[in-house]
Amino acid sequence: MRPSPRSRLAALLGVLVLAAPAATGCGEDESSGAGGLEKDTVTVASLPLADAAGLHIAQKAKLFEAEGLTVRIRPVQQSTAALPALAKGDVDFIAGANYVSFLQAQEKGTLKLSVVADAAYLTPNFISVMVNQDSPIRTVRDLEGKKVAVNLLNNIQTLTLNAILKAGGADPAKVQYVAVPFPQMGAALQRGQVD
């Protein structure tokens, strides 16, 4: 049995977490039904993360094009910045999303969202805490009293690291989180703005 265009598209996007309005999945103004797709063109807000690598690889390899789909990638520094664009229909999907903010928007009724495909699974080394080579920080306990860069405050990064800190015998309340966009984290670390 040959997979449908829709199932092939889902497989192509299967390495990403994409959120879209649940009512229609996409806006109706560009709908054409060509090739069994709801839309011929979609816009994806994408974070500069490894989580979204599959999106960029699929676009570069013309996998979407082969299915009759044009994918426009709109870079964003924080997934929360894309939520208003999603609500207005300016973007159809958000890749590499901040689940906490999305769940809060869903709970508040700001957006009605659907997970289209999962992107990442918790595995060993899923989250990394990096320090400068000459840093005295060697264990999670050494993070107490230090500044740690996260993309957004009170999100999946802080939630996950807090759990790791507790498991390692450190007090999360003694760690200062600093919001730094992903592409700027390395520079902030080198300049000593974060530890």
Side-chain angles (χ1 to χ4, degrees):
M1 181 171 152
R2 187 170 187 254
S4 71
R6 186 178 196 133
S7 65
R8 288 192 308 264
L9 176 60
L12 291 173
L13 297 175
V15 295
L16 305 171
V17 172
L18 303 173
T24 62
C26 300
E28 296 179 20
D29 57 336
E30 293 181 47
S31 181
S32 72
L37 300 174
E38 293 175 27
K39 291 178 73 170
D40 291 337
T41 302
V42 295
T43 302
V44 181
S46 177
L47 287 161
L49 299 173
D51 293 6
L55 172 68
H56 296 274
I57 291 167
Q59 187 179 48
K60 186 174 181 176
K62 301 185 187 242
L63 298 177
F64 299 119
E65 188 178 306
E67 297 298 328
L69 180 65
T70 299
V71 175
R72 295 183 198 130
I73 299 174
R74 182 183 297 175
V76 293
Q77 296 301 312
Q78 299 173 329
S79 59
T80 52
L83 285 174
L86 183 66
K88 290 191 299 186
D90 293 338
V91 299
D92 302 295
F93 300 96
I94 299 175
N98 167 1
Y99 306 110
V100 176
S101 299
F102 281 30
L103 294 173
Q104 288 172 337
Q106 176 85 9
E107 185 177 312
K108 291 177 184 174
T110 306
L111 289 170
K112 187 174 179 183
L113 304 171
S114 296
V115 174
V116 176
D118 42 350
Y121 298 92
L122 290 178
T123 61
N125 302 313
F126 176 75
I127 186 171
S128 298
V129 177
M130 293 180 241
V131 298
N132 282 319
Q133 190 172 10
D134 60 349
S135 172
I137 299 170
R138 296 287 178 245
T139 70
V140 292
R141 284 188 178 165
D142 296 335
L143 291 172
E144 289 183 349
K146 302 293 190 267
K147 293 179 183 176
V148 177
V150 292
N151 192 42
L152 290 170
L153 300 176
N154 302 315
N155 76 353
I156 193 68
Q157 294 170 332
T158 56
L159 180 68
T160 305
L161 186 53
N162 284 347
I164 292 168
L165 289 164
K166 286 178 187 175
D171 182 357
K174 294 181 180 177
V175 174
Q176 181 183 352
Y177 290 110
V178 180
V180 180
F182 287 118
Q184 298 170 16
M185 285 185 182
L189 182 62
Q190 289 176 341
R191 288 192 299 265
Q193 295 170 319
V194 294
D195 299 295

